[in-house]
Amino acid sequence: MEKTMNEESEAKGGMWALQQKFDQPMDEEASRLKQMNTETKCSTLLLVRLAFQSLGVVYGDLGTSPLYVFYNTFPKGINDTEDVVGALSLIIYSLTLVPLIKYVFIVCRASDNGQGGTFALYSLLCRHAKISTIPNQHRTDEKLTTYIYTPTHENSFAEKTKKWLEAHALKKNALLVLVLVGTCMVIGDGILTPAISVLSASSGIKVTHPGMDNDFIVVVAVFILIGLFCLQHHGPDKVGWLFAPIVLLWFILIGGIGIYNILKHDKTVLRAFSPLHIYWYFKRRGKDGWTSLGGIMLSITGTEALFADLAHYPLSAIQIAFTTVVFPCLLLAYCGQAAYLMKNKEQVFDAFYHSIPEAVYWPMFVIATLSAIVASQASISATFSIINQACALGCFPRVKVVHTSRKFLGQIYIPDINWTLMILCILVTTGFKNQTQIGNAYGTAVVIVMLVTTFLMILIMLLVWHCNWFLVFIMTFLSLIVECTYFSAVLIKIDQGAWVPLAIAAVFLLIMYVWHYGTVKRYEFEMQNKISMGWILNLGPSLGLVRVPGIGLVYTELASGVPRIFSHFITNLPAIHTVVAFVCVKSLPVYSVPEDERFLVKRIGPKNYHIFRCVARYGYKDQKKDDEFEKKLLDSIFLFVKLESLMDGSSDSDEYSLYEQDVSGLSDKNTFSSVVDILISDDDTVSETGTETASSHGGGGREEIEFLTRCRDAGVVHILGNTVVKARRDSGCYKKICIDYLYAFLRKICRENSVIFNVPHESLLNVGQVFFV
C-alpha cells in the first residue's frame, strides 16, 4: 500500500508530494495522549462523598417536583378519589421508566468522555459517521484513546444506517438542527426551573396566611432568585457542598412525611403500583385525563438536567445517589400526598404544604424554600455545561468560561449566561405570577429535550454501541410511547404558557445556527485559500522581504497549511520578523492536556527559513487564558531546536516533526518529559553517545538557539487576524442577512481572541482583511 502511494507521489511530481506532506495535520495529536485519558478509579469513600455532593447539584430539580405536581394535575379540583390513585400510578411508572431505567442506566452511559447532554451524543455520532458540518476531522484523530471508534461490518445494519446518514447534506443539517433544538430547550429549562421551583416554595406562606397578596409572594421569589444567581460564581463544587446537606435533609423529610401520611390517612393508595389503575384512570376521565398529563409529567422534570450535569460527577456516584436516596424518597413522598388527598381532596391546590404535620410545618417550609433554590442550581449548572460544549464545537459565540475547581473536572461558571438567565427568569416569574402557566411552559421544554435525546439515542445504539435492532426498537418504542403521549398533552396548552420555551428556544436557535453557519463558511474559505508550500519556497529564505529582528507569532485556526492572513500581511508590509511561528490553539475532546504535552512543534521549510508551526492543545477543563502562554510557547520551540540537533538526518528536512523520529536507547517507560529533563539539566552532554551526537550535529543547534535567543530579546509580536466576513454580492437575501448582519453582530459582542489567548496589548498586531463567502 505504501509502495503504491510512493509511486503515485513520484508520478505526480516532487512538489505535489511535498505539498501533501505539508498539508497533513500533526500525527502527534493522536500519539501524545496515549497515557492521559485513563479513567481515574474512585475509592469507596470518595465515591460516597461525590454521591452525597451530587445531591446538591444534580437532583435538586427532580427532588422538588412534589411541590407542584398534584396542583398542576388537578387544576380544577378532584371529583373522584380514585383519580388520585390513577394519577399516583402514572407518577410511579413515569419515574421508573424515564429517570431510572432510561436515563440513569442507559442514556448516561452514552457520555462523551464524561460529558453529558445533547452535544455529547452529537459528538459521539460525529466520531462514528461523517456527519460533522465542519470539515476539520482527520484520520489521525481516530488514534486518540478518547476517540473510541469501533469499525462496523460492511453488511451490518449499523453500516447501512451510517451510509444512509452520510448520503446527503440535508440529513446532516437536519441532525444538527435537532441537536440545537434540544440544546435551546435545556437553556429554556434553566430559565423555567428556578421560576417554578422558587415560586412554588414561596407560596407556602399563603397556607397559614390565606389573605396575603400574591404580589408579595412574587417579590419574595424574585429576591431569592437574585441571591441564587449571585452565588453561581463560587462554582458547583462549593455550591454543591453548601446545598447537598439541605437536599439530603429534604429527601429524608419528604420520605418520612410520606410514610406518616400513608399510615395515618390511607394505606390503600399503595395499590397504585398496579398499572391497571392507569387504564381505569383514562377510562374514567377521558379527555380530562389526557390533558392532566401535563401536570403528571412535571414529576420527571429535572431528568434532562441530570444527564447534562453528568460532567460534574462520575456516573457511578450519580447512580448510587439516585437508587439509594432519590428514587425511594420520591415514591414515598408522592404516595404520602396521595394518601392525604384521599381524605382531603378539597385541599389539592396546596397538597404538599397541607399534608405536612403542623408540628414541623415551618421547619419544613424553610427546607422546602432552600431545596427550591437547589433545584434551580441543577438546571443552571446543566446550562453552563451544554453551552461550554456548544462553544467547543463552534455552535455558540465565544464567551468567558471560568473553571471553578481543579479537583473535579468539568465544573464551570459562565458569567454572561448566568446574568442572562437571571434576567429572563425574573421576567418569567413576574410576568406569569402563576404556577400553572409556568408549569405548562416547563413541561413543554422538558418533553422536547427528552424526545431529542430519544432520537439521538437511536443512532447511538446503532452506530456506537452496535446493538441489535430489536433491542433498539424496544427501547425506542417504550420511550416514544411515554414521551409522545406527554408531548401531545402539553402541545394543546400553547396559549396557556407553553409558548414561552418555544419563543426562548427560537431566539437561541437563531443565534446558534447563525454562528455555526458563519463559522463553517469562514473555515471553508480559509481551507480553500491557504498558501501552498511552493509559494513559500519560491520566496526564498528572506521571503522576498526584509527580515527584521524579532519573533512573529501568527495565530491561525488551521492545524496545517499556511493561512491566508500571512500572505496578506507580507504583501502589505515591507518586512517580516526573522523568526515566524504559526500558532494554532486547538481544543481536543479530552478533559485536560498535561503541560509537557501541550505544545507540538514542526519546522516549515529549510532551517534557514526560520519558520515553525506550533499547535497548542487544550482540553475542556484547561483554561486557554494563561499568563505564561508566550513563555511556554517559546520554550517549546527552543526545546524542539535543541532536540532536533541530536537527531540524525534532521538537518536537511523541509518539514520536521520531533515526534516522528525514533529516539533510540529509551525504554517504553521513558517519556518525552524525561528526555526534556535530561537535556535541560546539561546543555553540553547527555551521555557518551549523546556527546558524540551533539558534536557531530549539535553545532548548528547551538547556533540556532543563540539566534532564537537574540530574536526573542529583540521582541515578540502576536499577529492576529481582524477579519470581516461578508457575503458575496451575488448571494441570496437569506445569506446576506445571516452573514452581513447577524453573524457580524455576534462577532462584535463575543470575546476577542486576544483576550482568550491573553495576548499583551503592547505586543498585539491586528491584521485586517475581508473574507467574501
Side-chain angles (χ1 to χ4, degrees):
M1 182 67 180
E2 293 181 358
K3 183 178 180 181
T4 304
M5 293 178 63
N6 292 334
E7 291 175 354
E8 292 178 358
S9 299
E10 292 175 0
K12 293 184 179 181
M15 185 59 69
W16 182 88
L18 182 61
Q19 179 67 41
Q20 288 299 105
K21 180 182 178 182
F22 178 74
D23 281 340
Q24 292 298 320
M26 294 182 176
D27 291 340
E28 302 84 359
E29 296 286 329
S31 62
R32 293 307 299 153
L33 292 174
K34 282 292 184 181
Q35 304 299 324
M36 197 197 78
N37 292 289
T38 55
E39 183 179 355
T40 303
K41 293 184 178 180
C42 297
S43 63
T44 303
L45 183 62
L46 179 60
L47 198 60
V48 173
R49 173 192 172 189
L50 292 175
F52 165 73
Q53 189 179 346
S54 70
L55 291 173
V57 175
V58 177
Y59 291 115
D61 189 3
L62 189 63
T64 53
S65 295
L67 284 170
Y68 43 77
V69 169
F70 280 107
Y71 172 84
N72 285 274
T73 302
F74 300 103
K76 298 179 182 179
I78 301 173
N79 296 323
D80 187 350
T81 54
E82 285 299 310
D83 292 342
V84 177
V85 179
L88 177 61
S89 186
L90 281 167
I91 292 172
I92 291 172
Y93 284 98
S94 296
L95 283 171
T96 303
L97 291 174
V98 180
L100 179 64
I101 297 177
K102 178 184 175 182
Y103 274 86
V104 173
F105 288 105
I106 298 178
V107 175
C108 284
R109 294 184 179 276
S111 65
D112 177 14
N113 297 306
Q115 298 287 322
T118 52
F119 265 109
L121 301 179
Y122 182 68
S123 177
L124 284 176
L125 290 175
C126 288
R127 295 177 187 174
H128 290 79
K130 297 178 181 179
I131 58 175
S132 177
T133 53
I134 299 181
N136 59 353
Q137 292 188 2
H138 191 263
R139 64 176 182 273
T140 54
D141 295 334
E142 297 179 10
K143 299 178 182 179
L144 290 169
T145 54
T146 51
Y147 200 89
I148 316 176
Y149 173 74
T150 306
T152 56
H153 191 272
E154 185 176 356
N155 296 322
S156 64
F157 187 72
E159 184 66 21
K160 294 178 181 178
T161 305
K162 175 182 175 182
K163 291 179 180 179
W164 175 83
L165 199 60
E166 296 173 345
H168 302 288
L170 181 62
K171 297 174 184 176
K172 300 178 184 179
N173 291 326
L175 183 61
L176 176 64
V177 171
L178 181 68
V179 172
L180 294 182
V181 168
T183 303
C184 294
M185 287 300 171
V186 172
I187 297 174
D189 187 24
I191 297 168
L192 296 169
T193 298
I196 190 172
S197 299
V198 175
L199 190 60
S200 298
S202 302
S203 65
I205 302 175
K206 296 186 68 175
V207 174
T208 56
H209 300 80
M212 183 172 291
D213 188 5
N214 189 62
D215 290 339
F216 178 77
I217 304 298
V218 173
V219 171
V220 172
V222 168
F223 276 104
I224 293 174
L225 290 171
I226 293 174
L228 169 67
F229 283 100
C230 289
L231 283 174
Q232 294 303 311
H233 69 279
H234 293 293
D237 181 28
K238 297 181 178 62
V239 173
W241 272 115
L242 176 65
F243 287 160
I246 297 172
V247 178
L248 180 60
L249 181 60
W250 164 260
F251 279 117
I252 293 174
L253 287 175
I254 63 174
I257 292 174
I259 295 174
Y260 169 80
N261 285 322
I262 292 171
L263 297 176
K264 180 180 179 181
H265 296 288
D266 194 342
K267 299 178 184 178
T268 63
V269 293
L270 297 179
R271 54 197 166 96
F273 281 90
S274 170
L276 289 175
H277 289 278
I278 297 176
Y279 168 74
W280 294 332
Y281 176 79
F282 286 119
K283 185 177 181 179
R284 279 192 310 270
R285 300 201 67 192
K287 183 178 179 181
D288 290 338
W290 173 57
T291 56
S292 70
L293 289 176
I296 297 289
M297 201 204 63
L298 296 178
S299 64
I300 56 176
T301 55
T303 307
E304 71 294 336
L306 181 156
F307 181 44
D309 276 325
L310 193 61
H312 299 291
Y313 302 99
L315 174 59
S316 53
I318 291 177
Q319 290 175 334
I320 290 172
F322 188 85
T323 54
T324 59
V325 178
V326 178
F327 186 67
C329 289
L330 283 177
L331 292 182
L332 289 172
Y334 286 117
C335 290
Q337 283 191 50
Y340 179 83
L341 290 174
M342 294 290 286
K343 303 296 183 182
N344 305 276
K345 65 180 182 178
E346 70 281 354
Q347 296 180 354
V348 66
F349 298 108
D350 292 295
F352 174 79
Y353 283 109
H354 282 296
S355 65
I356 299 174
E358 186 176 351
V360 295
Y361 179 84
W362 285 110
M364 194 64 189
F365 170 77
V366 174
I367 297 298
T369 304
L370 294 175
S371 299
I373 297 174
V374 178
S376 307
Q377 175 63 45
S379 60
I380 295 170
S381 299
T383 304
F384 291 161
S385 296
I386 205 163
I387 286 182
N388 186 42
Q389 294 172 5
C391 290
L393 292 175
C395 293
F396 200 85
R398 295 184 298 269
V399 292
K400 181 179 181 180
V401 178
V402 180
H403 296 263
T404 59
S405 175
R406 292 186 179 275
K407 296 180 181 179
F408 305 110
L409 305 177
Q411 297 190 359
I412 59 174
Y413 164 67
I414 305 178
D416 297 335
I417 301 301
N418 182 63
W419 305 125
T420 302
L421 292 179
M422 185 187 76
I423 294 172
L424 293 175
C425 184
I426 291 174
L427 290 176
V428 169
T429 305
T430 56
F432 283 127
K433 305 179 183 179
N434 187 304
Q435 293 182 41
T436 303
Q437 289 189 328
I438 298 178
N440 294 336
Y442 191 21
T444 304
V446 170
V447 73
I448 291 178
V449 176
M450 290 182 176
L451 283 171
V452 171
T453 302
T454 298
F455 289 128
L456 292 177
M457 280 301 299
I458 295 173
L459 298 175
I460 291 292
M461 295 179 74
L462 289 174
L463 302 183
V464 181
W465 294 349
H466 302 161
C467 294
N468 185 279
W469 67 269
F470 184 70
L471 294 177
V472 177
F473 174 78
I474 292 176
M475 185 268 183
T476 305
F477 179 74
L478 293 176
S479 296
L480 290 181
I481 282 181
V482 176
E483 292 159 8
C484 287
T485 305
Y486 281 136
F487 182 66
S488 64
V490 300
L491 201 60
I492 63 172
K493 299 181 180 180
I494 295 294
D495 59 339
Q496 302 174 34
W499 61 271
V500 173
L502 300 179
I504 294 172
V507 174
F508 278 96
L509 179 62
L510 179 64
I511 293 172
M512 298 175 76
Y513 187 80
V514 168
W515 182 263
H516 180 76
Y517 179 78
T519 301
V520 170
K521 292 298 180 183
R522 180 180 177 182
Y523 186 87
E524 290 176 349
F525 181 88
E526 292 192 359
M527 285 292 293
Q528 294 168 2
N529 293 273
K530 62 183 181 181
I531 309 305
S532 66
M533 184 64 191
W535 185 81
I536 293 289
L537 294 177
N538 289 334
L539 294 177
S542 65
L543 300 181
L545 300 168
V546 176
R547 302 293 292 267
V548 298
I551 298 178
L553 302 179
V554 183
Y555 288 81
T556 174
E557 296 180 3
L558 303 177
S560 63
V562 178
R564 185 174 182 270
I565 183 179
F566 182 69
S567 65
H568 182 72
F569 177 79
I570 64 176
T571 53
N572 287 276
L573 292 177
I576 189 64
H577 300 89
T578 313
V579 177
V580 176
F582 297 109
V583 181
C584 173
V585 180
K586 185 177 182 181
S587 295
L588 299 180
V590 294
Y591 277 129
S592 180
V593 177
E595 289 287 347
D596 59 347
E597 298 178 2
R598 178 150 297 164
F599 297 98
L600 299 176
V601 180
K602 281 187 177 182
R603 187 186 295 277
I604 298 178
K607 283 189 176 182
N608 56 351
Y609 279 53
H610 301 299
I611 302 179
F612 301 90
R613 180 190 313 287
C614 183
V615 176
R617 306 174 298 174
Y618 289 86
Y620 290 120
K621 172 184 174 293
D622 300 322
Q623 299 187 49
K624 292 181 180 179
K625 189 172 182 179
D626 191 343
D627 294 336
E628 297 184 351
F629 177 80
E630 178 184 306
K631 179 180 180 299
K632 295 175 181 178
L633 177 63
L634 296 179
D635 286 346
S636 66
I637 295 176
F638 277 71
L639 181 59
F640 168 80
V641 173
K642 186 177 294 186
L643 291 175
E644 183 189 41
S645 66
L646 300 176
M647 301 298 176
D648 293 332
S650 64
S651 58
D652 297 327
S653 64
D654 290 318
E655 181 176 10
Y656 172 78
S657 174
L658 170 66
Y659 304 99
E660 290 173 356
Q661 303 298 322
D662 180 22
V663 184
S664 60
L666 295 176
S667 65
D668 294 337
K669 295 182 180 180
N670 289 332
T671 62
F672 172 72
S673 58
S674 63
V675 178
V676 173
D677 295 336
I678 295 174
L679 289 169
I680 293 177
S681 63
D682 193 339
D683 291 337
D684 297 324
T685 60
V686 177
S687 63
E688 292 183 2
T689 306
T691 304
E692 295 174 2
T693 307
S695 62
S696 58
H697 298 286
R702 286 194 294 270
E703 292 176 1
E704 188 171 11
I705 289 174
E706 293 174 0
F707 174 76
L708 291 174
T709 303
R710 292 195 299 269
C711 293
R712 181 185 60 186
D713 295 339
V716 179
V717 176
H718 300 256
I719 304 171
L720 273 74
N722 188 11
T723 58
V724 177
V725 182
K726 290 186 177 182
R728 294 189 181 94
R729 292 183 178 180
D730 58 346
S731 301
C733 180
Y734 168 77
K735 186 175 182 180
K736 287 183 178 179
I737 293 175
C738 285
I739 298 297
D740 294 345
Y741 297 98
L742 298 179
Y743 182 70
F745 173 74
L746 293 176
R747 279 185 59 83
K748 286 182 180 179
I749 64 174
C750 74
R751 295 194 91 199
E752 295 289 342
N753 278 327
S754 58
V755 177
I756 296 177
F757 300 148
N758 199 33
V759 176
H761 293 288
E762 60 275 9
S763 303
L764 176 62
L765 177 61
N766 281 314
V767 180
Q769 57 180 340
V770 179
F771 287 170
F772 288 96
V773 298

